[in-house]
Amino acid sequence: MNNNSDFDVVKEIFSWISIIVVAAVIALVLNLFIIANSRVPSASMENTIMTGDRVVGFRLTYLFQEPKRGDIIIFKFPDDESLYYVKRIIGEPGDIVDIKDGKVYLNNSETPLEEDYIKEPMIPEADMHFEVPDGAYFCLGDNRNNSADSRRWVHPYVYKEKIIAKVIFRYFPGFKMLK
């Protein structure tokens, strides 16, 4: 009877170890290939994403569709690819982006882009003009007055192959689906 008891303990320990190993492998696969987990360290996306918020991005989104204006993305920072940034796509491939008097204009429109997500009106500065190349995107933070974004970078465009994921929700400190 003592041998049976020892055998059951070993079997139970092996069962727990196998469950932990399977869970770790699933978590690793999810993190490497399906989701991107990121903490936002700055105020550049406020009030959509606050400083210190944690967000989840879906890595597979752009295998099935093209990135589009308004998407919030996690990407490799064009001026230092060891850093990941989170910003909103404003200009798509082929777009002309003009920033005048604190407003964003697309493709020579007379009407500024309607942006109900920005924290506050942009402080006007010198006019800026950008022509988004094929395969690239022009990205801005929602907190335009406190955002290091395409307007300020040495390499102002985010190329599709450098996009890691589309942000789908914030989960800390509170859950919030992002559009």
Side-chain angles (χ1 to χ4, degrees), residues 31-47:
N31 199 38
L32 288 176
F33 302 109
I34 299 174
I35 64 168
N37 181 13
S38 186
R39 187 178 79 75
V40 179
S42 73
S44 71
M45 286 299 293
E46 289 183 358
N47 285 337

Side-chain angles (χ1 to χ4, degrees), residues 41-58:
S42 73
S44 71
M45 286 299 293
E46 289 183 358
N47 285 337
T48 307
I49 303 170
M50 304 303 284
T51 303
D53 281 357
R54 297 201 62 91
V55 296
V56 169
F58 188 53

Side-chain angles (χ1 to χ4, degrees), residues 47-159:
N47 285 337
T48 307
I49 303 170
M50 304 303 284
T51 303
D53 281 357
R54 297 201 62 91
V55 296
V56 169
F58 188 53
R59 293 180 186 268
L60 303 177
T61 299
Y62 300 128
L63 292 178
F64 306 109
Q65 67 187 41
E66 292 299 310
K68 65 183 184 308
R69 185 173 298 106
D71 287 355
I72 299 172
I73 58 173
I74 300 169
F75 57 92
K76 292 181 181 180
F77 175 43
D79 293 344
D80 179 356
E81 290 189 7
S82 69
L83 300 174
Y84 287 177
Y85 270 35
V86 176
K87 302 286 183 211
R88 185 181 299 273
I89 295 175
I90 299 300
E92 298 176 335
D95 278 349
I96 295 170
V97 179
D98 289 298
I99 301 173
K100 299 183 239 176
D101 300 320
K103 294 184 177 20
V104 177
Y105 296 84
L106 292 175
N107 302 317
N108 301 313
S109 172
E110 299 286 322
T111 307
L113 185 63
E114 200 168 308
E115 300 181 284
D116 59 353
Y117 43 78
I118 63 173
K119 182 175 181 175
E120 60 195 6
M122 223 184 325
I123 296 170
E125 53 187 311
D127 290 356
M128 298 178 197
H129 177 82
F130 301 90
E131 296 182 16
V132 185
D134 287 341
Y137 298 86
F138 182 85
C139 299
L140 296 175
D142 289 358
N143 185 359
R144 302 285 163 76
N145 297 323
N146 189 17
S147 179
D149 50 38
S150 285
R151 298 171 294 167
R152 313 275 185 243
W153 304 334
V154 172
H155 303 95
Y157 306 108
V158 176
Y159 284 85

